[in-house]
């Protein structure tokens, strides 16, 4: 009788674990994907006028730094692989005009400060079936920095709080310190706070030890 009770309890426990895992997976899969922000130079300002930029969830971002990211050409990397460097993490896509305009400038930033400890990382929302299109664009833009595919864990950690009913907007750029803290966050394409400000934030982090 005791053995029967033990087997029944174990089976119930296992079922509960599987159900929890299935629920978590379903909630991740149902999250709205990133969307291109309006193609307007002032779109980011308008967005912020309607809704303040949320403070980043440092704990969630720290956890996401160990999530494997698939590279365009196969293989994988993690954000934590670059601990000790200043990171510029760009959530983007080729179907997003403001994203496309920013990539060549991020490529320049990468070349300018790479030797001083900067690592630019692009996380694209393009589907893997569009790999050749993405690689062709990056080559044309002169972007030779690390690029991988965005995933639900990264989006949930970094972009949480910026979404509306259609999902979180892109581009979104995060500047991360050498010890893994988000020190700056940029949404959209804003002439008042753009790549030039990303560069100033990078310089400040590279100068601090």
């Amino acid at each position: 009788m005791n053995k029967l009770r033990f087997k029944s309890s174990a089976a119930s426990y296992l079922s509960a674990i599987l159900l929890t895992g299935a629920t978590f997976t379903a909630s991740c899969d149902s999250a709205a994907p990133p969307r291109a922000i309006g193609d307007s130079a002032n779109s980011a300002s308008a967005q912020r006028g309607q809704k303040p930029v949320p403070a980043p969830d440092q704990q969630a971002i720290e956890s996401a730094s160990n999530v494997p990211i698939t590279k365009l050409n196969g293989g994988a990397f993690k954000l934590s692989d670059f601990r000790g460097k200043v990171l510029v993490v760009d959530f983007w896509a080729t179907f997003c005009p403001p994203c496309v305009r920013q990539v060549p400038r991020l490529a320049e930033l990468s070349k300018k400060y790479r030797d001083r400890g900067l690592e630019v990382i692009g996380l694209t929302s393009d589907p893997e079936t569009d790999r050749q299109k993405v690689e062709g664009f990056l080559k044309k833009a002169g972007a030779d920095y690390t690029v991988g595919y965005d995933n639900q864990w990264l989006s949930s950690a970094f972009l949480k709080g910026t979404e509306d009913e259609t999902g979180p907007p892109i581009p979104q750029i995060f500047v991360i310190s050498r010890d893994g803290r988000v020190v700056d966050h940029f949404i959209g394409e804003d002439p008042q706070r753009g790549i030039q400000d990303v560069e100033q934030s990078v310089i400040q982090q590279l100068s601090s030890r």
Side-chain angles (χ1 to χ4, degrees):
M1 181 66 70
N2 289 336
K3 288 184 178 180
L4 181 61
R5 242 194 326 265
F6 175 78
K7 289 181 179 179
S8 177
S9 298
S12 299
Y13 180 67
L14 179 59
S15 297
I17 291 175
L18 292 174
L19 179 60
T20 301
T23 302
F24 176 77
T25 302
S27 66
C28 287
D29 290 343
S30 64
R35 62 175 177 80
I37 204 166
D39 187 13
S40 167
N42 296 316
S43 58
S45 297
Q47 288 270 339
R48 281 201 293 276
Q50 297 170 5
K51 183 178 181 181
V53 177
D57 187 335
Q58 298 282 4
Q59 186 174 357
I61 289 171
E62 175 67 22
S63 297
S65 69
N66 291 309
V67 170
I69 302 168
T70 303
K71 293 182 178 181
L72 297 182
N73 59 354
F77 67 96
K78 297 175 292 185
L79 295 180
S80 59
D81 294 340
F82 304 100
R83 185 61 60 89
K85 293 190 174 185
V86 175
L87 299 185
V88 169
V89 179
D90 176 34
F91 287 81
W92 74 289
T94 60
F95 55 77
C96 165
C99 301
V100 166
R101 288 193 289 268
Q102 288 184 353
V103 168
R105 298 194 64 187
L106 289 173
E108 293 173 5
L109 201 67
S110 175
K111 292 179 175 69
K112 189 174 181 180
Y113 297 103
R114 180 180 291 158
D115 291 343
R116 292 180 55 185
L118 172 67
E119 193 73 32
V120 176
I121 297 173
L123 297 175
T124 180
S125 298
D126 287 274
E128 293 188 30
T129 52
D130 285 349
R131 171 188 162 187
Q132 289 186 339
K133 174 185 175 182
V134 175
E135 289 179 334
F137 166 73
L138 292 171
K139 183 177 181 180
K140 184 177 179 180
D144 61 352
Y145 50 79
T146 302
V147 177
Y149 292 102
D150 182 20
N151 59 54
Q152 294 291 350
W153 290 270
L154 292 166
S155 289
S156 295
F158 279 89
L159 309 185
K160 183 179 180 180
T162 66
E163 60 272 75
D164 58 19
E165 65 279 0
T166 61
I170 52 174
Q172 291 199 43
I173 293 175
F174 295 80
V175 180
I176 301 177
S177 65
R178 295 180 189 273
D179 60 356
R181 294 177 299 106
V182 174
V183 295
D184 226 333
H185 180 195
F186 302 80
I187 299 179
E189 182 183 51
D190 187 345
Q192 302 302 317
R193 193 168 184 271
I195 299 298
Q196 71 279 2
D197 298 285
V198 175
E199 182 172 9
Q200 289 305 310
S201 184
V202 164
I203 292 171
Q204 183 177 2
Q205 292 304 311
L206 290 174
S207 300
S208 61
R209 286 288 182 178

